[in-house]
């Protein structure tokens, strides 16, 4: 497995002084995901939890619906460089009977660490492709429990503490128990890693949970929460208008600007109790 941090020299300027010193940076490397040997996507990610990342991506893009839809997810030996596996290519083998994806890889599935899969066709396309829509989930979470989650997430961000350059996502139960936390240079990758963990641990649909993200609530992250059947998505920063629209149509509770004891609840406020 590749490293998650690297050392590079930088010139540090403070007022009239300058000092050359090594800095710890987060690693960014490409990961190619294949399905039955065919390339599906290339995403720029921080190495680590790659199998979870691949599983989460396949689920949130509607290519699989459950862990049983996969036979295996393995690194490709064909990716060897000078006889050493680069660990930058994964191949997922679908179970018999699971339809193979039919995608234009040059148009639909090249992702970057900043935006992920941009330009999904419509809100309706996401709604129709979701097999785990959270609208009927009756779970609730006390506002005080929700307010305590960002501090728990921040304390768990081990790589962020040394680099300052990572997004994070965590899945909590509605009683405030942190189930899993993952970091990545791409916010969408961090969420896919969390959802991949849930898939591997038979927690799809992820009922009675809260997905917390360290940045903004974009349309794509909202889509991923909907596809995983997560009833509550919370973000420490702002939501987009399309994220709010999708949450409203899907019955997802969308919380943003979650800071201290303050928050904005944009959809399904009935799930947040006082």
């Amino acid at each position: 497995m590749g490293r998650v941090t690297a050392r590079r020299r930088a010139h540090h300027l403070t007022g009239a002084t300058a000092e050359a010193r090594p800095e710890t940076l987060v690693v960014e490397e490409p990961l190619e995901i294949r399905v039955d040997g065919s390339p599906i996507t290339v995403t720029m990610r921080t190495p680590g939890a790659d199998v979870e990342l691949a599983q989460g991506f396949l689920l949130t893009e509607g290519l699989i619906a459950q862990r049983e839809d996969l036979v295996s997810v393995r690194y490709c030996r064909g990716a060897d460089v000078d006889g050493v596996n680069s660990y930058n290519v994964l191949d997922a083998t679908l179970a018999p009977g699971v339809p193979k994806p039919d995608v234009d890889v040059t148009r639909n599935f090249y992702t970057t660490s900043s935006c992920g899969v941009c330009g999904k066709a419509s809100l309706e396309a996401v709604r129709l492709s979701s097999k785990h829509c959270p609208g009927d989930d009756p779970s609730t979470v006390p506002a005080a429990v929700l307010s305590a989650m960002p501090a728990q997430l921040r304390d768990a961000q081990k790589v962020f503490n040394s680099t300052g350059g990572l997004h994070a996502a965590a899945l909590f139960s509605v009683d405030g128990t942190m189930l899993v936390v993952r970091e990545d240079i791409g916010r969408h990758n961090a969420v896919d890693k969390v959802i991949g963990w849930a898939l591997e641990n038979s927690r799809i649909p992820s009922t009675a949970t809260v997905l917390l993200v360290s940045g903004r609530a974009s349309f794509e992250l909202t889509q991923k929460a909907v596809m995983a059947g997560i009833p509550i998505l919370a973000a420490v920063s702002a939501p987009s208008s399309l994220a709010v629209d999708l949450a409203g149509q899907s019955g997802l509770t969308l919380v943003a600007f979650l800071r201290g004891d303050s928050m904005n609840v944009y959809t399904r406020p009935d799930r947040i109790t006082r």
Side-chain angles (χ1 to χ4, degrees), residues 122-165:
S122 68
L123 301 179
E124 183 70 5
V126 176
R127 187 185 69 81
L128 291 175
S129 62
S130 174
K131 297 178 176 61
H132 309 296
C133 201
D136 295 331
D137 192 320
S139 305
T140 61
V141 60
V145 171
L146 194 59
S147 296
M149 291 179 183
Q152 295 182 64
L153 175 60
R154 181 65 181 81
D155 289 344
Q157 289 184 254
K158 304 304 183 186
V159 183
F160 179 88
N161 291 336
S162 61
T163 66

mmCIF file of all heavy atoms in Angstrom, residues 122-165:
data_model
loop_
_atom_site.group_PDB
_atom_site.id
_atom_site.type_symbol
_atom_site.label_atom_id
_atom_site.label_comp_id
_atom_site.label_asym_id
_atom_site.label_seq_id
_atom_site.Cartn_x
_atom_site.Cartn_y
_atom_site.Cartn_z
ATOM 1 N N SER A 122 -29.617 14.476 -13.635
ATOM 2 C CA SER A 122 -30.774 15.129 -13.043
ATOM 3 C C SER A 122 -31.049 14.561 -11.674
ATOM 4 O O SER A 122 -30.569 13.491 -11.305
ATOM 5 C CB SER A 122 -32.011 14.940 -13.922
ATOM 6 O OG SER A 122 -32.398 13.586 -13.921
ATOM 7 N N LEU A 123 -31.859 15.295 -10.906
ATOM 8 C CA LEU A 123 -32.297 14.792 -9.615
ATOM 9 C C LEU A 123 -33.110 13.514 -9.789
ATOM 10 O O LEU A 123 -32.999 12.574 -9.011
ATOM 11 C CB LEU A 123 -33.161 15.846 -8.910
ATOM 12 C CG LEU A 123 -32.532 17.205 -8.618
ATOM 13 C CD1 LEU A 123 -33.554 18.093 -7.934
ATOM 14 C CD2 LEU A 123 -31.303 17.069 -7.755
ATOM 15 N N GLU A 124 -33.924 13.483 -10.823
ATOM 16 C CA GLU A 124 -34.783 12.330 -11.063
ATOM 17 C C GLU A 124 -33.968 11.074 -11.327
ATOM 18 O O GLU A 124 -34.315 9.980 -10.880
ATOM 19 C CB GLU A 124 -35.708 12.604 -12.252
ATOM 20 C CG GLU A 124 -36.709 11.485 -12.547
ATOM 21 C CD GLU A 124 -37.790 11.352 -11.491
ATOM 22 O OE1 GLU A 124 -37.834 12.189 -10.565
ATOM 23 O OE2 GLU A 124 -38.576 10.391 -11.579
ATOM 24 N N ALA A 125 -32.828 11.227 -12.032
ATOM 25 C CA ALA A 125 -31.980 10.074 -12.327
ATOM 26 C C ALA A 125 -31.446 9.457 -11.039
ATOM 27 O O ALA A 125 -31.375 8.236 -10.901
ATOM 28 C CB ALA A 125 -30.827 10.475 -13.240
ATOM 29 N N VAL A 126 -31.058 10.305 -10.069
ATOM 30 C CA VAL A 126 -30.570 9.779 -8.793
ATOM 31 C C VAL A 126 -31.700 9.093 -8.036
ATOM 32 O O VAL A 126 -31.539 8.000 -7.485
ATOM 33 C CB VAL A 126 -29.964 10.916 -7.945
ATOM 34 C CG1 VAL A 126 -29.557 10.387 -6.573
ATOM 35 C CG2 VAL A 126 -28.761 11.520 -8.648
ATOM 36 N N ARG A 127 -32.864 9.733 -8.020
ATOM 37 C CA ARG A 127 -33.997 9.164 -7.282
ATOM 38 C C ARG A 127 -34.371 7.786 -7.828
ATOM 39 O O ARG A 127 -34.600 6.841 -7.082
ATOM 40 C CB ARG A 127 -35.198 10.104 -7.346
ATOM 41 C CG ARG A 127 -36.364 9.667 -6.471
ATOM 42 C CD ARG A 127 -37.560 10.573 -6.660
ATOM 43 N NE ARG A 127 -38.156 10.405 -7.977
ATOM 44 C CZ ARG A 127 -38.998 9.426 -8.288
ATOM 45 N NH1 ARG A 127 -39.303 8.498 -7.399
ATOM 46 N NH2 ARG A 127 -39.511 9.339 -9.494
ATOM 47 N N LEU A 128 -34.384 7.667 -9.139
ATOM 48 C CA LEU A 128 -34.791 6.403 -9.751
ATOM 49 C C LEU A 128 -33.742 5.311 -9.578
ATOM 50 O O LEU A 128 -34.072 4.127 -9.527
ATOM 51 C CB LEU A 128 -35.084 6.621 -11.240
ATOM 52 C CG LEU A 128 -36.333 7.448 -11.560
ATOM 53 C CD1 LEU A 128 -36.433 7.694 -13.062
ATOM 54 C CD2 LEU A 128 -37.592 6.770 -11.043
ATOM 55 N N SER A 129 -32.463 5.691 -9.498
ATOM 56 C CA SER A 129 -31.406 4.684 -9.405
ATOM 57 C C SER A 129 -31.169 4.208 -7.977
ATOM 58 O O SER A 129 -30.506 3.196 -7.766
ATOM 59 C CB SER A 129 -30.103 5.234 -9.989
ATOM 60 O OG SER A 129 -29.657 6.367 -9.250
ATOM 61 N N SER A 130 -31.697 4.933 -6.987
ATOM 62 C CA SER A 130 -31.465 4.558 -5.600
ATOM 63 C C SER A 130 -32.357 3.401 -5.193
ATOM 64 O O SER A 130 -33.573 3.430 -5.392
ATOM 65 C CB SER A 130 -31.722 5.746 -4.666
ATOM 66 O OG SER A 130 -31.618 5.343 -3.316
ATOM 67 N N LYS A 131 -31.754 2.371 -4.627
ATOM 68 C CA LYS A 131 -32.505 1.226 -4.122
ATOM 69 C C LYS A 131 -32.649 1.284 -2.607
ATOM 70 O O LYS A 131 -33.256 0.400 -1.999
ATOM 71 C CB LYS A 131 -31.819 -0.076 -4.538
ATOM 72 C CG LYS A 131 -31.763 -0.284 -6.047
ATOM 73 C CD LYS A 131 -31.035 -1.558 -6.403
ATOM 74 C CE LYS A 131 -31.060 -1.823 -7.909
ATOM 75 N NZ LYS A 131 -30.409 -0.748 -8.681
ATOM 76 N N HIS A 132 -32.066 2.306 -1.979
ATOM 77 C CA HIS A 132 -32.064 2.406 -0.516
ATOM 78 C C HIS A 132 -32.483 3.805 -0.078
ATOM 79 O O HIS A 132 -31.898 4.376 0.832
ATOM 80 C CB HIS A 132 -30.685 2.076 0.043
ATOM 81 C CG HIS A 132 -30.098 0.796 -0.449
ATOM 82 N ND1 HIS A 132 -30.663 -0.437 -0.176
ATOM 83 C CD2 HIS A 132 -29.009 0.540 -1.208
ATOM 84 C CE1 HIS A 132 -29.937 -1.394 -0.733
ATOM 85 N NE2 HIS A 132 -28.931 -0.824 -1.378
ATOM 86 N N CYS A 133 -33.468 4.388 -0.715
ATOM 87 C CA CYS A 133 -33.856 5.771 -0.447
ATOM 88 C C CYS A 133 -34.234 5.943 1.027
ATOM 89 O O CYS A 133 -34.962 5.109 1.589
ATOM 90 C CB CYS A 133 -35.017 6.165 -1.350
ATOM 91 S SG CYS A 133 -35.173 7.949 -1.543
ATOM 92 N N PRO A 134 -33.754 7.001 1.680
ATOM 93 C CA PRO A 134 -33.922 7.130 3.138
ATOM 94 C C PRO A 134 -35.240 7.751 3.588
ATOM 95 O O PRO A 134 -35.450 7.934 4.784
ATOM 96 C CB PRO A 134 -32.766 8.063 3.508
ATOM 97 C CG PRO A 134 -32.596 8.937 2.312
ATOM 98 C CD PRO A 134 -32.881 8.041 1.121
ATOM 99 N N GLY A 135 -36.147 8.052 2.665
ATOM 100 C CA GLY A 135 -37.338 8.808 3.023
ATOM 101 C C GLY A 135 -38.193 8.183 4.105
ATOM 102 O O GLY A 135 -38.813 8.898 4.895
ATOM 103 N N ASP A 136 -38.261 6.858 4.185
ATOM 104 C CA ASP A 136 -39.128 6.188 5.156
ATOM 105 C C ASP A 136 -38.440 5.888 6.482
ATOM 106 O O ASP A 136 -39.058 5.307 7.378
ATOM 107 C CB ASP A 136 -39.667 4.879 4.563
ATOM 108 C CG ASP A 136 -40.576 5.113 3.369
ATOM 109 O OD1 ASP A 136 -41.224 6.178 3.318
ATOM 110 O OD2 ASP A 136 -40.617 4.229 2.482
ATOM 111 N N ASP A 137 -37.179 6.251 6.620
ATOM 112 C CA ASP A 137 -36.445 5.968 7.856
ATOM 113 C C ASP A 137 -36.994 6.857 8.977
ATOM 114 O O ASP A 137 -36.944 8.078 8.885
ATOM 115 C CB ASP A 137 -34.950 6.243 7.643
ATOM 116 C CG ASP A 137 -34.095 5.705 8.777
ATOM 117 O OD1 ASP A 137 -34.504 5.814 9.953
ATOM 118 O OD2 ASP A 137 -32.999 5.191 8.491
ATOM 119 N N PRO A 138 -37.522 6.259 10.068
ATOM 120 C CA PRO A 138 -38.121 7.056 11.143
ATOM 121 C C PRO A 138 -37.130 7.564 12.184
ATOM 122 O O PRO A 138 -37.528 8.163 13.192
ATOM 123 C CB PRO A 138 -39.096 6.053 11.772
ATOM 124 C CG PRO A 138 -38.392 4.739 11.635
ATOM 125 C CD PRO A 138 -37.658 4.802 10.312
ATOM 126 N N SER A 139 -35.832 7.351 11.978
ATOM 127 C CA SER A 139 -34.829 7.679 12.990
ATOM 128 C C SER A 139 -34.812 9.167 13.311
ATOM 129 O O SER A 139 -35.063 10.016 12.446
ATOM 130 C CB SER A 139 -33.441 7.258 12.515
ATOM 131 O OG SER A 139 -33.416 5.898 12.169
ATOM 132 N N THR A 140 -34.486 9.473 14.556
ATOM 133 C CA THR A 140 -34.288 10.862 14.984
ATOM 134 C C THR A 140 -32.973 10.962 15.750
ATOM 135 O O THR A 140 -32.453 9.953 16.256
ATOM 136 C CB THR A 140 -35.437 11.340 15.888
ATOM 137 O OG1 THR A 140 -35.492 10.528 17.073
ATOM 138 C CG2 THR A 140 -36.772 11.281 15.151
ATOM 139 N N VAL A 141 -32.448 12.171 15.857
ATOM 140 C CA VAL A 141 -31.219 12.408 16.608
ATOM 141 C C VAL A 141 -31.389 13.697 17.412
ATOM 142 O O VAL A 141 -31.870 14.699 16.886
ATOM 143 C CB VAL A 141 -29.988 12.498 15.674
ATOM 144 C CG1 VAL A 141 -30.114 13.616 14.668
ATOM 145 C CG2 VAL A 141 -28.705 12.646 16.483
ATOM 146 N N PRO A 142 -31.036 13.695 18.698
ATOM 147 C CA PRO A 142 -31.114 14.928 19.483
ATOM 148 C C PRO A 142 -30.129 15.969 18.959
ATOM 149 O O PRO A 142 -29.004 15.643 18.563
ATOM 150 C CB PRO A 142 -30.728 14.470 20.900
ATOM 151 C CG PRO A 142 -31.000 12.997 20.916
ATOM 152 C CD PRO A 142 -30.690 12.525 19.531
ATOM 153 N N ALA A 143 -30.534 17.224 18.964
ATOM 154 C CA ALA A 143 -29.679 18.299 18.466
ATOM 155 C C ALA A 143 -28.352 18.346 19.228
ATOM 156 O O ALA A 143 -27.297 18.611 18.642
ATOM 157 C CB ALA A 143 -30.407 19.634 18.576
ATOM 158 N N ALA A 144 -28.394 18.089 20.527
ATOM 159 C CA ALA A 144 -27.162 18.124 21.323
ATOM 160 C C ALA A 144 -26.196 17.031 20.903
ATOM 161 O O ALA A 144 -24.969 17.232 20.887
ATOM 162 C CB ALA A 144 -27.501 17.992 22.802
ATOM 163 N N VAL A 145 -26.721 15.854 20.567
ATOM 164 C CA VAL A 145 -25.875 14.750 20.094
ATOM 165 C C VAL A 145 -25.250 15.115 18.751
ATOM 166 O O VAL A 145 -24.057 14.898 18.515
ATOM 167 C CB VAL A 145 -26.692 13.455 19.988
ATOM 168 C CG1 VAL A 145 -25.894 12.357 19.286
ATOM 169 C CG2 VAL A 145 -27.130 12.985 21.369
ATOM 170 N N LEU A 146 -26.042 15.697 17.854
ATOM 171 C CA LEU A 146 -25.541 16.110 16.545
ATOM 172 C C LEU A 146 -24.460 17.170 16.694
ATOM 173 O O LEU A 146 -23.426 17.132 16.015
ATOM 174 C CB LEU A 146 -26.710 16.637 15.712
ATOM 175 C CG LEU A 146 -26.499 16.827 14.216
ATOM 176 C CD1 LEU A 146 -26.114 15.517 13.535
ATOM 177 C CD2 LEU A 146 -27.762 17.399 13.584
ATOM 178 N N SER A 147 -24.660 18.109 17.601
ATOM 179 C CA SER A 147 -23.695 19.195 17.790
ATOM 180 C C SER A 147 -22.344 18.714 18.292
ATOM 181 O O SER A 147 -21.315 19.373 18.068
ATOM 182 C CB SER A 147 -24.262 20.230 18.773
ATOM 183 O OG SER A 147 -25.413 20.854 18.251
ATOM 184 N N ALA A 148 -22.322 17.566 18.968
ATOM 185 C CA ALA A 148 -21.059 17.037 19.503
ATOM 186 C C ALA A 148 -20.253 16.277 18.465
ATOM 187 O O ALA A 148 -19.070 15.992 18.682
ATOM 188 C CB ALA A 148 -21.358 16.126 20.694
ATOM 189 N N MET A 149 -20.844 15.960 17.323
ATOM 190 C CA MET A 149 -20.168 15.112 16.342
ATOM 191 C C MET A 149 -18.964 15.774 15.668
ATOM 192 O O MET A 149 -17.942 15.100 15.455
ATOM 193 C CB MET A 149 -21.173 14.625 15.298
ATOM 194 C CG MET A 149 -22.173 13.635 15.845
ATOM 195 S SD MET A 149 -23.377 13.089 14.598
ATOM 196 C CE MET A 149 -24.424 12.036 15.603
ATOM 197 N N PRO A 150 -19.010 17.071 15.281
ATOM 198 C CA PRO A 150 -17.827 17.645 14.626
ATOM 199 C C PRO A 150 -16.560 17.574 15.461
ATOM 200 O O PRO A 150 -15.468 17.333 14.917
ATOM 201 C CB PRO A 150 -18.256 19.097 14.373
ATOM 202 C CG PRO A 150 -19.738 19.026 14.227
ATOM 203 C CD PRO A 150 -20.163 17.996 15.241
ATOM 204 N N ALA A 151 -16.658 17.751 16.762
ATOM 205 C CA ALA A 151 -15.468 17.653 17.617
ATOM 206 C C ALA A 151 -14.920 16.233 17.624
ATOM 207 O O ALA A 151 -13.694 16.020 17.608
ATOM 208 C CB ALA A 151 -15.800 18.105 19.037
ATOM 209 N N GLN A 152 -15.802 15.243 17.635
ATOM 210 C CA GLN A 152 -15.354 13.848 17.567
ATOM 211 C C GLN A 152 -14.648 13.568 16.242
ATOM 212 O O GLN A 152 -13.622 12.879 16.204
ATOM 213 C CB GLN A 152 -16.544 12.904 17.712
ATOM 214 C CG GLN A 152 -17.242 12.947 19.049
ATOM 215 C CD GLN A 152 -18.378 11.938 19.100
ATOM 216 O OE1 GLN A 152 -18.169 10.727 19.023
ATOM 217 N NE2 GLN A 152 -19.604 12.422 19.233
ATOM 218 N N LEU A 153 -15.214 14.101 15.170
ATOM 219 C CA LEU A 153 -14.600 13.904 13.855
ATOM 220 C C LEU A 153 -13.227 14.556 13.803
ATOM 221 O O LEU A 153 -12.252 13.954 13.334
ATOM 222 C CB LEU A 153 -15.502 14.484 12.766
ATOM 223 C CG LEU A 153 -14.950 14.457 11.336
ATOM 224 C CD1 LEU A 153 -14.662 13.030 10.886
ATOM 225 C CD2 LEU A 153 -15.918 15.134 10.378
ATOM 226 N N ARG A 154 -13.138 15.788 14.297
ATOM 227 C CA ARG A 154 -11.857 16.499 14.259
ATOM 228 C C ARG A 154 -10.793 15.756 15.067
ATOM 229 O O ARG A 154 -9.644 15.640 14.628
ATOM 230 C CB ARG A 154 -12.058 17.917 14.817
ATOM 231 C CG ARG A 154 -10.793 18.770 14.817
ATOM 232 C CD ARG A 154 -10.327 19.045 13.404
ATOM 233 N NE ARG A 154 -9.115 19.846 13.406
ATOM 234 C CZ ARG A 154 -7.906 19.356 13.597
ATOM 235 N NH1 ARG A 154 -7.743 18.059 13.808
ATOM 236 N NH2 ARG A 154 -6.858 20.145 13.577
ATOM 237 N N ASP A 155 -11.154 15.236 16.219
ATOM 238 C CA ASP A 155 -10.199 14.499 17.056
ATOM 239 C C ASP A 155 -9.712 13.221 16.370
ATOM 240 O O ASP A 155 -8.607 12.748 16.652
ATOM 241 C CB ASP A 155 -10.836 14.144 18.398
ATOM 242 C CG ASP A 155 -11.027 15.356 19.302
ATOM 243 O OD1 ASP A 155 -10.411 16.404 19.032
ATOM 244 O OD2 ASP A 155 -11.823 15.253 20.259
ATOM 245 N N ALA A 156 -10.541 12.665 15.476
ATOM 246 C CA ALA A 156 -10.188 11.407 14.810
ATOM 247 C C ALA A 156 -9.402 11.603 13.527
ATOM 248 O O ALA A 156 -8.958 10.634 12.915
ATOM 249 C CB ALA A 156 -11.458 10.614 14.506
ATOM 250 N N GLN A 157 -9.189 12.845 13.098
ATOM 251 C CA GLN A 157 -8.485 13.122 11.844
ATOM 252 C C GLN A 157 -6.979 13.083 12.052
ATOM 253 O O GLN A 157 -6.313 14.115 12.162
ATOM 254 C CB GLN A 157 -8.919 14.478 11.292
ATOM 255 C CG GLN A 157 -10.329 14.496 10.743
ATOM 256 C CD GLN A 157 -10.676 15.840 10.128
ATOM 257 O OE1 GLN A 157 -11.430 16.618 10.692
ATOM 258 N NE2 GLN A 157 -10.099 16.119 8.965
ATOM 259 N N LYS A 158 -6.430 11.881 12.065
ATOM 260 C CA LYS A 158 -5.010 11.694 12.384
ATOM 261 C C LYS A 158 -4.089 12.288 11.323
ATOM 262 O O LYS A 158 -3.100 12.943 11.641
ATOM 263 C CB LYS A 158 -4.719 10.209 12.571
ATOM 264 C CG LYS A 158 -5.576 9.529 13.623
ATOM 265 C CD LYS A 158 -5.471 10.210 14.972
ATOM 266 C CE LYS A 158 -6.291 9.470 16.029
ATOM 267 N NZ LYS A 158 -6.312 10.189 17.325
ATOM 268 N N VAL A 159 -4.379 12.041 10.047
ATOM 269 C CA VAL A 159 -3.494 12.537 8.995
ATOM 270 C C VAL A 159 -3.652 14.045 8.831
ATOM 271 O O VAL A 159 -2.684 14.759 8.567
ATOM 272 C CB VAL A 159 -3.757 11.811 7.671
ATOM 273 C CG1 VAL A 159 -2.784 12.274 6.585
ATOM 274 C CG2 VAL A 159 -3.629 10.299 7.857
ATOM 275 N N PHE A 160 -4.855 14.565 9.001
ATOM 276 C CA PHE A 160 -5.067 16.013 8.923
ATOM 277 C C PHE A 160 -4.199 16.736 9.942
ATOM 278 O O PHE A 160 -3.668 17.820 9.670
ATOM 279 C CB PHE A 160 -6.542 16.343 9.163
ATOM 280 C CG PHE A 160 -6.842 17.819 9.121
ATOM 281 C CD1 PHE A 160 -7.150 18.438 7.923
ATOM 282 C CD2 PHE A 160 -6.823 18.589 10.273
ATOM 283 C CE1 PHE A 160 -7.418 19.799 7.869
ATOM 284 C CE2 PHE A 160 -7.091 19.946 10.238
ATOM 285 C CZ PHE A 160 -7.396 20.553 9.020
ATOM 286 N N ASN A 161 -4.027 16.133 11.110
ATOM 287 C CA ASN A 161 -3.248 16.783 12.158
ATOM 288 C C ASN A 161 -1.809 17.029 11.730
ATOM 289 O O ASN A 161 -1.167 17.974 12.195
ATOM 290 C CB ASN A 161 -3.269 15.940 13.437
ATOM 291 C CG ASN A 161 -4.640 15.924 14.087
ATOM 292 O OD1 ASN A 161 -5.434 16.840 13.888
ATOM 293 N ND2 ASN A 161 -4.925 14.887 14.864
ATOM 294 N N SER A 162 -1.279 16.189 10.840
ATOM 295 C CA SER A 162 0.119 16.354 10.419
ATOM 296 C C SER A 162 0.259 17.074 9.088
ATOM 297 O O SER A 162 1.327 17.568 8.763
ATOM 298 C CB SER A 162 0.809 14.983 10.331
ATOM 299 O OG SER A 162 0.172 14.166 9.369
ATOM 300 N N THR A 163 -0.833 17.147 8.304
ATOM 301 C CA THR A 163 -0.733 17.760 6.974
ATOM 302 C C THR A 163 -1.643 18.960 6.776
ATOM 303 O O THR A 163 -1.329 19.850 5.983
ATOM 304 C CB THR A 163 -1.094 16.732 5.878
ATOM 305 O OG1 THR A 163 -2.488 16.385 5.995
ATOM 306 C CG2 THR A 163 -0.248 15.478 5.987
ATOM 307 N N GLY A 164 -2.783 18.996 7.442
ATOM 308 C CA GLY A 164 -3.751 20.074 7.238
ATOM 309 C C GLY A 164 -4.394 20.050 5.872
ATOM 310 O O GLY A 164 -5.032 21.028 5.473
ATOM 311 N N GLY A 165 -4.255 18.941 5.128
ATOM 312 C CA GLY A 165 -4.694 18.937 3.743
ATOM 313 C C GLY A 165 -5.691 17.863 3.368
ATOM 314 O O GLY A 165 -5.701 17.435 2.224
#
